[in-house]
Each structure stands twice: as structure tokens, then as C-alpha cells.
Amino acid sequence: MLHSFTRNYNDLSTEAGFQFEFFCDCCGNGFKSTFVRSTTYGQRQKSDRVGRMASTLGGFLGGKASDLGWALERGSDAIGNRFSGESPEWRKEQEKAFDEAQAEVKPEFKKCPGCNKWVCADCWNEEEGLCTECAPREASYVAQARSRAMQRNIDEAADSATVWQGKIETRTTICPQCGKPAGNGKFCNECGAPLGTQRCPNCGANVALGLKFCGECGSPMKKNTTCPSCGFENEPGMKFCGECGAKL
């Protein structure tokens, strides 16, 4: 059972050797130990080579030599199985390598007496003798406080700012022909009458087509626009004749 000075570590070991990575409890930065080659793995590789050589030699000589090669190969397999995976020898090597890895990496960490976390140099407040979570560095904390205050000021200014001055209202268009809701198109959904507007010749207000009197000033929408001077038919709302310029 491996026991680490910090609970945050990762075992990167393989059959070929041992390596471990230890992490800061605050920021998660990791430090890897030096890779240590497994002695048992080297012995297994050597046994495998001997077994393959004997098997090849047996193939040339035949008979008893071949049987000898087969026996040596089987023996190398037994040795390999004994040292592979979680064999006792491999486990002893692993524990030793783990202790050496901790001795190598531990100087990169500081244990905070406030929260008992193991932290790296970036998360250690040297002046206070605590981690930066227990005792943030003054300059960093001031900068963070200023940033939070700036965000609050911006939010408060945005809440009080007027960014739109229109009117929120809903209007229902009533058809001037049938008196029913006409919809949002150019023609009434009920009777098909046009839903455009015309300007009042007296006050200039927009008045729905078909209405005989202005809703703003009460003036009749149709006035005599025939020029008394030349007889030209002018558009409603014109104050002077478009043909001769006479006042209407």
C-alpha cells in the first residue's frame, strides 16, 4: 500500500519502470519524479531473449536440442509471469521507487498549517507562512477587490441608465369599413378593405382610409380641391394649386 505525503498523486508506473506525479492541492500543478527502470523487468527481458535463442538453436539441431529450447522458453515464461504485474518483487520495487520519488518531489511543496494542504510555490504566501487560500497576497487581493468594485459600479450604472425612450403599447387596427379587427396586413381580414392612412387636410394627422372625418380635429377628410382660378383638381391637403399657384 503506497502512502504519500499528499493525497493528490498519480501512479505512472508500468512493467518497465516507475514514475509518479504529485499535484498541488490548490492549483493542481503537477511535478513528475524521475523515471526509474525496473530491475525485474530487465531480468524478464533477458530471460525472454535466452528462451528465444534456445528455441532457434533447437530448430536447427532438432530432437533433444529442440526439446531443450522449448523447456527454456517455458521457463522464461514462468519467470516473466512471476515478475510481471503485481508480483511481490515488483511491488517491493514500486514501494522503494515511490519513497524515492516523494523524497525527490517533496521539496517543491509546502504544507499549510492553516488548512493542512500541500501547495506549490505559486500558491504559497511566504510573508504569512500560509497558502494563498488562507492568506491571499495583498497585491493580488487588492487587484481582485478593485475588479469586483468596478464590476459593481458598472452594473449599478447600467441599471440606472436609460437606453430606450419609446412607448410600449399595443394597438388593434379596426377596419373603417366593417368596424372589426382588421389584422396586421394592408387589407382587412374580414372585408378586404384597404387599411392604409391618409393625412387630414386641416391638421395633418394620419387618418385611416374610409373615415369621413379626422379623429384629431373633426374636419371632413374630403375638401373641395378644385382650383377656383384654373379648375385643376389638386390632391387633398394642398394649400396652393399645383397648376397655377392660386391659393385654394
Side-chain angles (χ1 to χ4, degrees):
M1 186 69 179
L2 303 180
H3 298 284
S4 172
F5 67 93
T6 174
R7 64 181 179 274
N8 293 324
Y9 73 92
N10 188 20
D11 189 349
L12 305 176
S13 302
T14 64
E15 285 186 340
F18 310 96
Q19 189 175 34
F20 305 89
E21 188 173 17
F22 302 86
F23 301 96
C24 172
D25 287 335
C26 285
C27 68
N29 283 342
F31 297 87
K32 287 183 179 180
S33 64
T34 304
F35 179 81
V36 178
R37 184 175 175 83
S38 170
T39 303
T40 56
Y41 179 78
Q43 293 175 351
R44 178 186 176 187
Q45 294 291 96
K46 184 177 180 180
S47 299
D48 288 344
R49 286 196 297 270
V50 172
R52 286 194 298 269
M53 290 174 61
S55 179
T56 303
L57 180 61
F60 282 109
L61 299 179
K64 295 182 179 180
S66 179
D67 294 339
L68 176 61
W70 177 83
L72 287 175
E73 187 172 359
R74 291 282 294 177
S76 68
D77 290 342
I79 294 174
N81 290 332
R82 186 159 60 93
F83 287 106
S84 66
E86 299 181 359
S87 64
E89 291 78 6
W90 189 90
R91 282 297 185 186
K92 289 180 181 179
E93 277 195 303
Q94 182 194 32
E95 292 176 0
K96 180 182 178 182
F98 188 64
D99 292 339
E100 293 175 353
Q102 291 190 84
E104 177 187 352
V105 174
K106 194 173 181 179
E108 304 290 342
F109 293 86
K110 297 280 189 180
K111 185 177 182 180
C112 176
C115 61
N116 293 324
K117 291 181 178 179
W118 287 91
V119 300
C120 64
D122 293 339
C123 299
W124 180 252
N125 188 334
E126 192 69 35
E127 295 180 355
E128 301 296 335
L130 296 167
C131 72
T132 52
E133 289 187 353
C134 293
R137 295 186 181 94
E138 181 178 351
S140 300
Y141 190 78
V142 169
Q144 293 175 6
R146 286 173 57 86
S147 178
R148 291 193 296 268
M150 178 188 66
Q151 294 176 25
R152 288 196 301 271
N153 293 340
I154 293 174
D155 292 338
E156 291 171 359
D159 290 339
S160 60
T162 301
V163 296
W164 186 68
Q165 296 180 342
K167 294 182 179 180
I168 301 176
E169 57 184 8
T170 301
R171 292 182 178 179
T172 301
T173 303
I174 302 299
C175 177
Q177 186 71 26
C178 64
K180 296 180 180 180
N184 297 322
K186 296 182 179 180
F187 299 91
C188 175
N189 293 336
E190 295 291 334
C191 65
L195 299 176
T197 60
Q198 57 182 336
R199 297 181 66 84
C200 173
N202 184 49
C203 66
N206 290 325
V207 181
L209 293 175
L211 295 180
K212 295 180 179 180
F213 295 92
C214 175
E216 293 290 334
C217 64
S219 300
M221 293 302 296
K222 290 185 178 180
K223 283 188 176 181
N224 185 12
T225 56
T226 302
C227 177
S229 177
C230 66
F232 181 75
E233 289 291 336
N234 293 278
E235 294 293 331
M238 296 185 66
K239 296 181 180 180
F240 297 91
C241 177
E243 183 68 23
C244 66
K247 186 175 182 180
L248 300 178

